[in-house]
Amino acid sequence: MGVERIVVAGAGLAGLRTVEELRLAGYEGTLSLIGAERRPPYDRPPLSKQLMSGAVDDTSLRAELDSLDVRLALGECAERLDEGSLHTDRGDYPFDRLVIATGARPVALPGPGRQWFLRSIDDALELRAALRPGTRLAIIGAGWIGAELATAAAAKGCQVMVVEAGAAPLAVALGAQVGAFTAPWYEQAGVELMLGLAVESVQDGGLSLAGGGWLAADVIVTAVGVRPEVGWLSSSGVTLDNGVSVDEYLRSSVPGVYAVGDCAAFWSGRFARRLRTEHWDGALRAPAVLAANLIGLGLGERYDPVPYFWSEQFGRMLQYVGHHAGADQLVLRGDPTSPQWTACWLDGRRLVAVLTVDRPKDLMQGRRLIESAAPVDHDKLADPAVPLRATAT
């Protein structure tokens, strides 16, 4: 029996790219793309960057849909999955193959006060309009989004305060040691960074802090992370483990059901662990592998990337490649107080992750070294004058 009907639940970048790759691979069957938002697919990374700064007003990708012959259903939420059929709040979609690409939703904090998020294009447009010179903006969380939003808001003349429960910015993403190197950037940009300070609740007019403190604010943005949008799958039989648990072919535990994007926790043989990366690069690249597997091309394509992410904050370009959980050494290339530097993580003599600050050559060469798994020379690695590619032994 052939694959005649493919349904994609989730109309973000991962869902759109899946449809594109299926058509590029020659799939001629019926395609349905279902999105919870009323807007057509759009890019999310510019929301905290170019859109927030006012450089663009729309990041829509609708033009890419015109030639794809896809049934597009917007403003429609996935509610339940039965054998061979996806049920939404508006109808049923029988399928031969289902792709789950429902993404992730922001984590909210307790309290009755208005808390803003920066996840959707509507969030970004509404928040941008609220950020005026003199606005007291409290950002909860000094992660990637918190830092990017602080950058844009400070440039608008807002009074920006970033509240972080951890010991350093980006501590969850990079570890406290490396994250601490970014802390001076906040003060240099006129942003008040408050570390080691937990928020108890969001109230009208400010934050109630753990221990009884109070921080007044006009606008409060919660940026403490996201969770995969997979609650609707709880009775489906699909195995959930920090998202939809999929194998290296992006297959779930239910035959004919696959997952991709922010909601997919895939097995990485390269790093010997399950990963859920939440990165634009994954949503862009994984669908090519998925499409080949959906329609049975060849023996099956494995998805085992070297994850990549970038952030623009406080006038700097940060790029991260790899995965450093389990690394046993941190090697710095250059002085972290200087404009350009690199952090490298090693597992034994193998390079497993690289963070670059305005050193793009290190990023490109580091990615190749991670892909090759070649051993590297520690002393050469620590010398920023030695090209990263020359550290392989």
Side-chain angles (χ1 to χ4, degrees), residues 273-344:
R273 65 187 68 226
R274 192 168 296 283
L275 301 178
R276 190 176 64 82
T277 58
E278 300 175 9
H279 299 334
W280 178 89
D281 191 61
L284 184 72
R285 299 179 186 277
V289 174
L290 175 60
N293 293 332
L294 282 168
I295 58 179
L297 296 178
L299 299 176
E301 296 283 338
R302 288 182 170 85
Y303 181 64
D304 195 5
V306 175
Y308 168 75
F309 179 80
W310 86 98
S311 175
E312 299 171 70
Q313 52 184 261
F314 306 113
R316 298 164 174 85
M317 170 62 85
L318 282 70
Q319 296 184 87
Y320 176 90
V321 66
H323 185 73
H324 68 269
D328 53 27
Q329 294 181 73
L330 171 66
V331 179
L332 297 177
R333 288 169 57 81
D335 181 356
T337 65
S338 68
Q340 301 175 340
W341 54 276
T342 296
C344 299

Side-chain angles (χ1 to χ4, degrees), residues 69-112:
D69 187 23
V70 58
R71 176 185 178 185
L72 180 63
L74 299 176
E76 195 163 342
C77 297
E79 289 192 334
R80 192 174 80 258
L81 173 62
D82 291 331
E83 185 175 353
S85 185
L86 171 71
H87 305 279
T88 75
D89 57 355
R90 294 192 181 182
D92 300 334
Y93 293 82
F95 62 81
D96 299 308
R97 299 283 188 274
L98 172 69
V99 177
I100 301 168
T102 44
R105 53 183 167 78
V107 175
L109 294 180

